[in-house]
């Protein structure tokens, strides 16, 4: 007997606008499946940024808010503080999260806002036609780096998970990928854990997902999937960087006992 395909209740029956082989559609489905499994469709507030993910609200059947470029974490912060009973999902790409939105990303994490950020890292600007992104690899050819990314000119690719892992407040940080079934299942588990932690009030959670962009990379979808594994993953290693409820806490993010800031220090005595 053939298996009957089950369409996620939390996903709209909408024809995709994403390019063949793009990872966004995969992640949309994972988010919808998780919402169905957790029974939280009516409780979710989705924040959509500028970039290829701008139309996420066309596919996920939840209440959604459009954010100005880079401001999704700020909008998510406001929504969560006004509606603490809701589950706020902040869905962003690399240009939105790590270029124009770097400040919002870092400070929302540093404050420990109780939101869940899903970050799609495809190493390039997709919607605007394939320019260099903050995550573009060294030597990678793009519209704005025709001879390959030169770190002496533009710096090295930013590792978002490692960057946020230097902060004290984030409770869960994991990097996943969606280039094959095994890793797709791992990404789904990470998304579910991140959302669960938010709903339990544990704090800021961040899931980075390495994804394919065959069109702007100029390759076939199968080649793009292999490139994520062979080129991206060595520079962006997969795994859990932070899981404070499970006890995975980096030393750099642990305040030293007895160390206080100047506000808490006694004032010097007047002479």
């Amino acid at each position: 007997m053939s298996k009957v395909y089950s369409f996620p209740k939390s996903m709209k029956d909408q024809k995709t606008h994403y390019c063949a082989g793009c990872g966004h559609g995969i992640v949309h489905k994972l988010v919808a499946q998780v919402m169905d499994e957790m029974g939280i469709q009516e409780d979710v507030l989705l924040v959509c940024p500028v970039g290829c993910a701008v139309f996420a609200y066309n596919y996920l059947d939840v209440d959604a808010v459009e954010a100005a470029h880079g401001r999704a974490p700020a909008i998510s912060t406001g929504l969560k503080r006004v509606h603490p009973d809701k589950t706020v999902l902040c869905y962003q790409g690399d240009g939105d999260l790590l270029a124009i939105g770097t400040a919002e990303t870092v400070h929302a994490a540093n404050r420990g806002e109780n939101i869940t950020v899903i970050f799609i890292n495809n190493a390039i600007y997709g919607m605007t036609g394939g320019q260099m992104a903050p995550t573009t690899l060294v030597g990678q050819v793009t519209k704005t780096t025709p001879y390959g990314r030169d770190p002496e000119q533009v710096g090295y690719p930013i590792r978002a998970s490692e960057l946020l892992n230097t902060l004290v407040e984030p409770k869960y940080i994991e990097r996943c990928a969606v280039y094959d079934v095994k890793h797709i299942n791992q990404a789904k588990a990470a998304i579910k854990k991140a959302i669960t932690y938010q709903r339990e009030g544990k704090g800021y959670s961040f899931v980075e997902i390495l994804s394919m962009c065959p069109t702007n990379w100029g390759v076939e979808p199968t080649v793009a999937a292999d490139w994520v594994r062979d080129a991206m993953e060595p520079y962006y290693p997969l795994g859990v960087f932070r899981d404070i409820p499970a006890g995975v806490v980096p030393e750099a993010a642990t305040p030293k006992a007895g160390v206080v800031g100047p506000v808490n220090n006694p004032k010097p005595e007047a002479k």
Side-chain angles (χ1 to χ4, degrees), residues 52-249:
C52 284
V54 67
F55 297 121
Y57 51 74
N58 280 350
Y59 306 103
L60 296 172
D61 193 9
V62 295
D63 290 328
V65 175
E66 184 69 38
H69 203 185
R71 313 306 178 226
I75 298 298
S76 298
T77 295
L79 285 173
K80 187 65 178 184
R81 292 190 179 194
V82 173
H83 301 285
D85 58 320
K86 298 297 184 180
T87 300
V88 178
L89 302 183
C90 183
Y91 189 95
Q92 298 181 266
D94 40 14
D96 186 76
L97 184 138
L98 277 178
I100 193 170
T102 310
E104 284 78 3
T105 295
V106 172
H107 288 291
N110 194 50
R111 294 191 304 268
E113 300 293 343
N114 190 33
I115 61 175
T116 299
V117 178
I118 299 173
F119 167 45
I120 307 300
N121 176 358
N122 59 15
I124 204 164
Y125 282 146
M127 173 171 274
T128 52
Q131 297 86 355
M132 187 194 80
T135 53
T136 296
L137 297 178
V138 172
Q140 184 179 343
V141 174
T142 72
K143 291 276 184 70
T144 50
T145 56
Y147 302 106
R149 178 173 185 154
D150 181 357
E152 293 187 3
Q153 295 292 323
V154 295
Y156 285 86
I158 299 175
R159 296 181 174 109
S161 292
E162 288 87 340
L163 175 66
L164 298 183
N165 199 34
T166 65
L167 305 176
V168 173
E169 279 298 324
K171 298 302 186 290
Y172 177 59
I173 302 171
E174 182 169 358
R175 180 182 288 129
C176 309
V178 288
Y179 60 77
D180 63 16
V181 174
K182 172 185 174 182
H183 289 89
I184 289 172
N185 289 334
Q186 290 174 351
K188 179 182 176 181
I191 292 169
K192 191 169 189 176
K193 179 181 281 192
I195 294 175
T196 298
Y197 282 3
Q198 179 187 166
R199 290 180 64 80
E200 293 174 350
K202 289 185 167 66
Y204 182 89
S205 54
F206 183 84
V207 179
E208 178 177 356
I209 301 176
L210 305 185
S211 180
M212 300 75 66
C213 186
T215 296
N216 288 302
W217 293 351
V219 298
E220 294 296 320
T222 53
V223 176
D226 291 342
W227 196 79
V228 173
R229 179 195 64 209
D230 299 335
M232 291 187 70
E233 192 175 321
Y235 188 81
Y236 298 109
L238 307 182
V240 177
F241 292 84
R242 175 84 60 90
D243 190 347
I244 286 182
V248 182
V249 186

